[in-house]
Amino acid sequence: MLELRGIGAGYGRAQVLRDMSLRVGSGEILCLLGRNGAGKTTAMKAIMGLVPLMAGEVLLDGVSLGALPPHEIPKAGIGYIPQGRRLFGELTVAQNIEIGLMARGEGREMRERVLGLFPRLRERLGQRANTLSGGEQQMLATARALCLRPKALLLDEPTEGLQPSMIEAIRVVVRQMREEGVAVLLVEQRVDAVLDLADRVAFMENGRVVEEAAAEALRADHAIVDRYVGV
Amino acid sequence: MEFGPHLMLAVLEGAVTAAVLSLTAVGLSLVFGVMRVVNVAHGEFFMLGAVLAWWIAGAFGGHAALGFLAALVVAPLAVGAMAVLADIVILKRIGYDPERTIVATIGLLYILQQVTLMSYGPEARPVAAPFNTRLALPWVEWGEAGPALYWPWGLSITSYKLAVIGAAVAVLVGVWAVMTRTRIGLVMRATQLDRDMALAFGIPVERVYALVFGFGAALAALAAVLIVPISQAHYLMGGDPLLLSFIVVIIGGLGSLPGTVVAALLIGLSDGVISVFFSPTLAKILATLLVALVLVFRPQGLFGARAA
Ligand SMILES: Nc1ncnc2c1ncn2[C@@H]1O[C@H](COP(=O)(O)OP(=O)(O)OP(=O)(O)O)[C@@H](O)[C@H]1O
Ligand SMILES: [Mg+2]
């Protein structure tokens, strides 16, 4: 279980997140929705320790991550698929996967597993990551994060710029993670793409969570969605 | 001497310069590439390598080779350890901020220089080469009976200079193998490409930085130990290697190791040839001019990747 308790965070003196709280259970998909600039990416960076916490704490399975240096946070079991993929572009597919495996000392077995999930990557092991197509890059970013055998998985707009079949492939993997008991925190722009995937939805505005609802309720009544992310 | 043999001599001298320069510049390039730190004190790590070599070699009795061998191992390690300490105590504290690290390494430059002046003194001191046989070199001449070898007077090189070239090549191959074939090399490259993502995948970036800073300084020190039997140790000797390394790193493309080595060859060889036929000052002037041209017409360096 991943939990944020009243965290504050920002860049330099500019505070972006204010008293933000959130809870994602194991085997649950929580979708974080919000307008551009609401602070969704910043929240993920704060969980990863890439922006310092000004207040509050982040807990994974009840253990506070606040005191850990940033490079220890993934080792606790958090996989991160950042916005824009951020692969190690000059390294090969195999090397990007290797870095994922190194983080938590995973080996051959895990490598086979992620290559089984994304067979296209197996055909391109020696290719440089920045020469992959957009869809292949997203597969690699996902594979790299799964290599950690994460307890919690953060996905920041994973379907940005992908064709429907590719989006479906990502959704299949996300569902499978839920089956395996991973706590999934998913940021998406397009509401329709997530309503049938998510268990719960949290709406963000100005750096805090302002409303939470079960996805089922939102499917029945779209009004609340329009209030927070409509145009 | 005729032109042909004279040119060959100049090229050989240039090759020795290029060998030492490429080691020093690769150290600077590595630090800039991975850490984005412009290390103005790099030349002082070079100088410390030479001064320590004199000191270590003097502490050993017996054959000159024994002391030199000890210096070859101990001086780079000691200088590397000092650099790691400087990284942890100074650079880490200022968060590797690009501007502040420049000021901080300028400060480090003066501290190292003054401490050396106060302890080692202002003299230039030699270190004996472990071996130093003069090897006469042949040249080809077309006589009436076809091409024939002869040994022009003055065309020679010492066995030690050849060994310096060989050692530099071996070390460069080693650095290349570490960067491309080992786990620590992979970790360094990942850190260079995206610091935040390296952190997000469990790479202890600060430890990588300390290691890279130490490794870069150790390469400079190693280059200095190799050159000190030829040129002598002096507390102000760090200036030229620093300037030339900067020139090489800019021409080669910031942070590109193959580019750095090719540029070191270019600058080292032309420095040798121009110094022999014209003057060392002209060689420096032309190298600096080349940097200006590169900065104007190809700011990413001759071999650097174009900024995306
Ligand atoms: N490195 C940075 N330095 C300063 N301010 C930043 C930085 N990154 C983001 N911000 C600011 O923080 C706020 C939140 O940005 P964030 O990237 O978290 O938004 P987001 O919800 O992910 O938006 P989007 O949907 O467009 O991805 C914005 O106002 C942004 O300008
Ligand atoms: Mg974002």
Side-chain angles (χ1 to χ4, degrees), chain A residues 89-97 111 115 120-132 140, chain B residues 189:
Chain A
E90 282 179 25
L91 303 184
T92 63
V93 170
Q95 287 171 326
N96 272 277
I97 289 177
R111 187 170 188 273
L115 290 178
R120 296 248 309 247
L121 295 179
R122 195 192 290 279
E123 299 160 16
R124 293 177 162 69
L125 283 174
Q127 193 174 332
R128 272 169 49 156
N130 56 11
T131 64
L132 294 173
L140 181 54
Chain B
R189 285 160 74 203

Side-chain angles (χ1 to χ4, degrees), chain B:
Chain B
M1 214 189 298
E2 291 167 60
F3 178 73
H6 204 175
L7 181 66
M8 178 169 165
L9 195 64
V11 167
L12 283 171
E13 292 297 327
V16 175
T17 310
V20 174
L21 180 57
S22 58
L23 290 184
T24 317
V26 162
L28 188 72
S29 175
L30 208 57
V31 166
F32 180 80
V34 177
M35 307 170 66
R36 301 280 133 183
V37 163
V38 176
N39 179 15
V40 185
H42 195 64
E44 304 318 302
F45 290 133
F46 180 92
M47 177 276 287
L48 279 180
V51 166
L52 281 181
W54 173 82
W55 194 72
I56 295 166
F60 272 78
H63 194 276
L66 206 67
F68 181 79
L69 208 66
L72 199 58
V73 176
V74 177
L77 286 179
V79 172
M82 262 185 253
V84 168
L85 198 69
D87 174 82
I88 294 172
V89 174
I90 305 170
L91 301 183
K92 185 176 158 185
R93 295 276 168 93
I94 55 178
Y96 301 99
D97 174 81
E99 280 123 42
R100 287 200 274 172
T101 48
I102 291 181
V103 179
T105 53
I106 291 175
L108 189 61
L109 178 156
Y110 284 113
I111 293 171
L112 294 177
Q113 235 173 47
Q114 290 309 306
V115 168
T116 309
L117 176 61
M118 288 188 298
S119 54
Y120 169 87
E123 299 86 4
R125 295 184 170 111
V127 170
F131 45 83
N132 216 2
T133 326
R134 191 154 280 282
L135 308 168
L137 297 169
W139 189 255
V140 199
E141 192 179 39
W142 271 266
E144 282 155 21
L149 286 182
Y150 79 112
W151 277 258
W153 188 84
L155 180 57
S156 66
I157 189 166
T158 64
S159 56
Y160 182 71
K161 284 184 180 174
L162 285 182
V164 168
I165 297 172
V169 171
V171 171
L172 289 174
V173 169
V175 171
W176 175 81
V178 166
M179 291 307 284
T180 56
R181 293 276 179 277
T182 68
R183 221 162 227 224
I184 182 70
L186 184 62
V187 162
M188 284 189 210
R189 285 160 74 203
T191 307
Q192 166 164 8
L193 290 170
D194 192 331
R195 175 183 178 279
D196 276 0
M197 280 309 112
L199 281 174
F201 284 88
I203 294 175
V205 165
E206 284 185 343
R207 238 175 288 161
V208 173
Y209 280 1
L211 187 81
V212 166
F213 202 65
F215 189 46
L219 278 176
L222 181 67
V225 179
L226 288 175
I227 202 65
V228 78
I230 300 172
S231 74
Q232 301 198 335
H234 185 260
Y235 83 105
L236 289 177
M237 73 191 292
D240 264 8
L242 179 70
L243 175 68
L244 285 176
S245 296
F246 268 125
I247 289 175
V248 162
V249 169
I250 292 171
I251 292 178
L254 294 171
S256 152
L257 291 187
T260 302
V261 172
V262 175
L265 272 178
L266 189 76
I267 295 296
L269 286 179
S270 62
D271 188 86
V273 172
I274 298 169
S275 300
V276 167
F277 285 99
F278 302 98
S279 84
T281 315
L282 181 66
K284 301 275 184 306
I285 292 174
L286 288 181
T288 317
L289 191 67
L290 183 58
V291 167
L293 290 178
V294 166
L295 284 176
V296 171
F297 293 107
R298 217 183 139 79
Q300 75 273 27
L302 293 183
F303 305 91
R306 208 173 283 272

Side-chain angles (χ1 to χ4, degrees), chain A residues 11 14 16-17 34-43 45 83 156-157 187 189 204:
Chain A
Y11 305 90
V16 175
L17 304 181
R35 291 200 167 84
N36 293 131
K40 306 178 297 288
T41 298
T42 306
K45 287 189 194 165
Q83 189 166 17
D156 198 346
E157 305 202 22
V187 166
Q189 285 292 345
M204 252 190 113

